Amino acid sequence: MVKLANNPTSLTKGWSGIIEAYRPYLPVNETTPVVTLLEGNTPLIPVPQIAAQIGRQVQVYVKYDGLNPTGSFKDRGMTMAISKAKEAGAQAVICASTGNTSAAAAAYARRCGMRALVIIPDGYVALGKLAQALLYGAEVIAIDGNFDEALTVVKQLAENYPITLVNSLNPYRLEGQKTAAFEVVDILGDAPDWLCVPVGNAGNISAYWMGFCQYHQVGKCQKLPKMMGFQAAGSAPLIAGHPISSPNTVATAIRIGNPANWDKAIATQESSQGEFNAVTDAEILEAYQLLASREGIFCEPASAASVAGLLKCRDQVPSGSTVVCVLTGNGLKDPDAAIKYSDNSVKAGIAPNLEVVADLVGF
Ligand code: F0G
């Protein structure tokens, strides 16, 4: 009988999670307890139908980070934040969340026996994310307020009590998330010309930029991408230039009016000669449907903002360039949105009869 080790890394074909894969680039040492669900190593998938809409021999890929263990890019940051919290002896972590951070925090914290406290805006967290947080065993508090108000409360709690904050203000989160940039370069052999990212708190766009810059410094890539950040039009403080007090969008994951990483976002945009642009809910939903029905890729609405943004800015894409759009979360996170916004529907109430069914499908 084959004896399987307790360490899950020995059960995978060489992939041990982002901390082991990129250890020299991360602030960990041999005594850091690695709390991992083998996150990372997500596919970079060509999307030819979307590329065809741009033309000019542009290569377009999506970095499908919805295939992480809890279904979003947050796992990259959370393996770092929770490992470092464990190393420091923390017994409880806390976050404010539009859903994905809470799912990831809950999974990683519970895996190493910590309490996971999560504060969410009541009524604005997609069903799948809430289901995850509950089943992973988080202590979930829904406030009558938006994400920005939830973040204010958790910052105060973390300042006053022995609880570690694991929102993207925690620097280890961005350290973990930068590994997505490493993976993109490891596959493409260089950085892309454009990187399109949905932006809420602006942690992820800042983390990608850190990753590309770090790889550039050590000669792993020759160029640096233009960082293109996209916010939902109803929640676009970085485009407005000031916080939005009542943000709104169908893309609840990025329904954020006062990004926690505002200064980093501006620095990223300036040093990469990138741009922030707004995409409307209609544009987001069009890209969401296009990705699923033409490319076979099911992401959540917020993630589709990166593709919506690329399509909106298509005339600016230089001929012959390589573009990566980040798909931050899995479509299964938000089944309500999928059903509500699909222009497809179930033909129901049909008799279980050959002729009837054959006729319905046009034979
Ligand atoms: N896409 C998804 C699916 C997200 O869940 C988030 C953020 C973003 C994009 C934006 O990333 O904040 O780094 O700019 N979700 C946070 C949460 C706010 O609580 O899950 P960002």
Side-chain angles (χ1 to χ4, degrees):
M1 202 174 89
V2 181
K3 192 166 177 293
L4 297 176
N6 282 331
N7 183 347
T9 60
S10 65
L11 307 178
T12 59
K13 290 195 189 122
W15 184 256
S16 315
I18 59 124
I19 294 182
E20 295 308 342
Y22 296 109
R23 187 173 269 276
Y25 300 95
L26 293 169
V28 286
N29 59 43
E30 49 300 334
T31 61
T32 309
V34 176
V35 183
T36 180
L37 290 164
L38 308 184
E39 59 295 310
N41 199 23
T42 56
L44 190 68
I45 309 175
V47 283
Q49 308 290 339
I50 287 160
Q53 297 210 9
I54 296 166
R56 299 197 296 289
Q57 290 175 330
V58 173
Q59 308 264 354
V60 185
Y61 300 85
V62 291
K63 176 68 171 160
Y64 190 20
D65 246 3
L67 287 186
N68 274 299
T70 80
S72 85
F73 72 100
K74 305 286 180 177
D75 294 346
R76 298 178 181 276
M78 216 49 84
T79 183
M80 273 300 301
I82 301 290
S83 297
K84 294 302 281 187
K86 191 75 184 165
E87 182 178 40
Q91 295 185 353
V93 297
I94 192 164
C95 64
S97 184
T98 56
N100 282 324
T101 301
S102 62
Y108 285 81
R110 297 308 299 148
R111 185 167 174 83
C112 67
M114 284 184 203
R115 288 177 68 188
L117 313 179
V118 313
I119 305 203
I120 57 171
D122 200 5
Y124 289 94
V125 170
L127 191 65
K129 305 175 187 181
L130 193 56
Q132 288 180 290
L134 290 174
L135 200 67
Y136 288 137
E139 296 159 61
V140 182
I141 295 167
I143 56 152
D144 296 327
N146 59 30
F147 170 86
D148 305 291
E149 291 163 308
L151 185 61
T152 303
V153 175
V154 301
K155 281 199 280 193
Q156 290 164 345
L157 281 161
E159 271 161 28
N160 287 291
Y161 301 98
I163 320 174
T164 303
L165 181 75
V166 292
N167 279 104
S168 57
L169 291 165
N170 178 324
Y172 298 120
R173 280 276 315 277
L174 300 198
E175 290 288 337
Q177 284 171 213
K178 77 183 178 189
T179 60
F182 297 165
E183 289 178 15
V184 168
V185 174
D186 287 345
I187 296 288
L188 293 178
D190 204 342
D193 297 290
W194 276 28
L195 191 88
C196 300
V197 200
V199 174
N201 269 313
N204 207 29
I205 195 167
S206 310
Y208 264 96
W209 182 241
M210 270 171 61
F212 286 122
C213 290
Q214 199 170 355
Y215 248 27
H216 191 250
Q217 257 166 15
V218 298
K220 290 259 192 184
C221 54
Q222 308 315 310
K223 58 187 176 191
L224 286 167
K226 193 187 250 300
M227 302 296 285
M228 301 293 285
F230 297 100
Q231 298 204 287
S235 306
L238 291 166
I239 292 99
H242 55 78
I244 306 289
S245 55
S246 300
N248 214 1
T249 169
V250 64
T252 52
I254 52 172
R255 186 175 170 269
I256 293 173
N258 192 10
N261 297 290
W262 190 299
D263 295 344
K264 285 196 177 78
I266 301 299
T268 295
Q269 181 246 316
E270 284 174 356
S271 39
S272 76
Q273 288 155 7
E275 282 178 25
F276 287 111
N277 284 291
V279 281
T280 64
D281 279 4
E283 289 164 336
I284 289 173
L285 291 172
E286 199 183 324
Y288 174 64
Q289 290 176 345
L290 183 69
L291 277 161
S293 66
R294 302 294 303 282
E295 302 283 10
I297 299 170
F298 188 23
C299 65
E300 63 173 288
S303 305
S306 60
V307 171
L310 170 63
L311 293 175
K312 187 162 195 162
C313 299
R314 74 184 90 190
D315 295 341
Q316 283 171 250
V317 186
S319 174
S321 54
T322 301
V323 178
V324 172
C325 294
V326 181
L327 298 185
T328 45
N330 197 300
L332 293 170
K333 293 270 189 177
D334 195 348
D336 295 318
I339 289 172
K340 186 166 175 195
Y341 298 110
S342 171
D343 45 20
N344 202 358
S345 62
V346 177
K347 296 183 175 77
I350 309 301
N353 172 285
L354 171 65
E355 280 79 35
V356 173
V357 176
D359 185 52
L360 259 181
V361 293
F363 290 103

